[in-house]
Every structure is written in C-alpha cells, then in structure tokens.
C-alpha cells in the first residue's frame, strides 16, 4: 500500500530533487506548481519534503497526505457501475 502526497508550490519549480528522499517512489506533475508524490506507507515524509523545499528555495502553499486504504479502493471498485 502506498501514500499519495499532494505538494503545491507558490511558483513553478523542478522538483526532481524530491527523488532523493527515502520512501519516495515517484512523482507526477499535475500542473507546473502541483505535484502528486507516491511514497511508501509506514513513514510520514512530509517533514523531509518540507526540508527539501527549504534547501531548494521552493515555497510550499499546500502539503496534504492521502492514504489509499484497501477499503477506499474497494468502495471505488464497487461504486463505479
């Protein structure tokens, strides 16, 4: 199971350095300022993301974690029809 973290920045940025954080599986740009980061469960990496942002001069306007539980996935599968 994995965790999705939505990162919103004040200005567009190249966040490829986010891959250096332990636990990050990958990330996808939803826009030039909004990114969806996939991470392993069991470790809250939001603090690490915040520190990486400070290092790189990114101004965070949003940092939200969403856990995709099996129950949630099951509900999505059963309510699509």
């Amino acid at each position: 199971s994995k965790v999705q973290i939505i990162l919103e920045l004040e200005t567009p940025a190249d966040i490829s350095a986010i891959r250096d954080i332990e636990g990050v599986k990958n990330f996808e740009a939803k826009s030039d300022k909004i990114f969806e980061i996939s991470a392993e469960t069991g470790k809250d990496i939001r603090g690490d993301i915040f520190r990486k942002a400070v290092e790189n001069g990114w101004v965070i306007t949003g940092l939200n974690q969403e856990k995709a539980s099996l129950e949630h996935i099951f509900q999505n599968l059963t309510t699509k029809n």
Side-chain angles (χ1 to χ4, degrees), residues 13 16-17 27 35 46 59 62:
S16 53
F27 71 88
F35 305 90
R46 288 175 294 180
V59 178

Side-chain angles (χ1 to χ4, degrees), residues 2-7 37 39-47 49 62-68:
K2 64 181 179 175
V3 174
Q4 298 298 110
I5 299 166
I6 307 298
L7 171 66
I37 301 163
E40 296 166 13
T41 53
K43 184 173 186 250
D44 188 347
I45 61 165
R46 288 175 294 180
I49 292 170
L63 188 60
N64 299 301
Q65 183 168 297
E66 300 168 356
K67 189 174 182 194

Side-chain angles (χ1 to χ4, degrees), residues 23-64:
V24 169
K25 289 190 174 181
N26 58 9
F27 71 88
E28 182 185 343
K30 295 295 183 184
S31 77
D32 58 357
K33 296 189 279 192
I34 299 175
F35 305 90
E36 187 176 78
I37 301 163
S38 295
E40 296 166 13
T41 53
K43 184 173 186 250
D44 188 347
I45 61 165
R46 288 175 294 180
D48 297 328
I49 292 170
F50 184 83
R51 283 184 283 278
K52 184 64 73 178
V54 171
E55 265 175 46
N56 288 277
W58 310 329
V59 178
I60 295 176
T61 55
L63 188 60
N64 299 301

